[in-house]
Amino acid sequence: MPAATPRPADNLDDDDYPAYTMGRAADMLGTTPAFLRTLGEHRLITPLRSEGGHRRYSRYQLRIAARARELVDQGTPIEAACRIVILEDQLEEARRINEQLRAQGRESQPRTSA
């Protein structure tokens, strides 16, 4: 039986699917396309490019950009905001991995009877 090909609607649940144009992403965040370009220049987010070369953003990238905007709105310089968001993201990933390893360790420990 051939492998099922993904349906376009399957992408609706994918946080990494680049579904949003730069204009739509900027509207959703209440910011400007220039702000999104600046985040890209600071390597906070790297949008994918459409066949025509247009930037496309995922929901995950929009959450990252929204956090950066929140920090900038509070007066944090954009360079510092990008670094903070990168570190927060790395910390969250490390916590997730740590929890997975702990869960695996609990599963592999022999059970003792009382």
Side-chain angles (χ1 to χ4, degrees), residues 64-76:
I64 295 290
R67 175 67 180 132
R69 177 165 185 228
E70 180 181 305
L71 290 168
V72 169
D73 287 350
Q74 293 171 0
T76 306

Side-chain angles (χ1 to χ4, degrees), residues 98-114:
N98 191 18
E99 183 55 38
Q100 286 178 341
L101 292 173
R102 284 183 181 174
Q104 288 173 358
R106 286 190 296 265
E107 292 171 3
S108 65
Q109 290 179 354
R111 295 194 174 150
T112 58
S113 49

Side-chain angles (χ1 to χ4, degrees), residues 4-15:
T5 57
R7 298 173 301 156
D10 293 339
N11 294 327
L12 296 175
D13 293 328
D14 185 355
D15 266 1

Side-chain angles (χ1 to χ4, degrees), residues 73-91:
D73 287 350
Q74 293 171 0
T76 306
I78 195 159
E79 299 85 8
C82 289
R83 186 67 183 138
I84 289 167
V85 173
I86 289 167
L87 291 170
E88 287 174 343
D89 197 48
Q90 289 172 344
L91 178 59

Side-chain angles (χ1 to χ4, degrees), residues 17-112:
Y17 181 72
Y20 303 97
T21 63
M22 177 180 273
R24 180 69 182 126
D27 286 344
M28 291 171 68
L29 295 171
T31 189
T32 64
F35 179 79
L36 292 172
R37 282 191 295 274
T38 301
L39 296 181
E41 290 167 8
H42 290 289
R43 301 194 193 299
L44 179 61
I45 55 176
T46 304
L48 279 104
R49 298 283 182 148
S50 69
E51 289 181 16
H54 299 281
R55 291 174 178 90
R56 305 285 296 197
Y57 297 90
S58 69
R59 289 188 308 207
Y60 172 75
Q61 290 172 325
L62 294 184
R63 283 196 300 274
I64 295 290
R67 175 67 180 132
R69 177 165 185 228
E70 180 181 305
L71 290 168
V72 169
D73 287 350
Q74 293 171 0
T76 306
I78 195 159
E79 299 85 8
C82 289
R83 186 67 183 138
I84 289 167
V85 173
I86 289 167
L87 291 170
E88 287 174 343
D89 197 48
Q90 289 172 344
L91 178 59
E92 183 58 35
E93 177 68 8
R95 286 180 174 159
R96 186 188 62 73
I97 291 169
N98 191 18
E99 183 55 38
Q100 286 178 341
L101 292 173
R102 284 183 181 174
Q104 288 173 358
R106 286 190 296 265
E107 292 171 3
S108 65
Q109 290 179 354
R111 295 194 174 150
T112 58

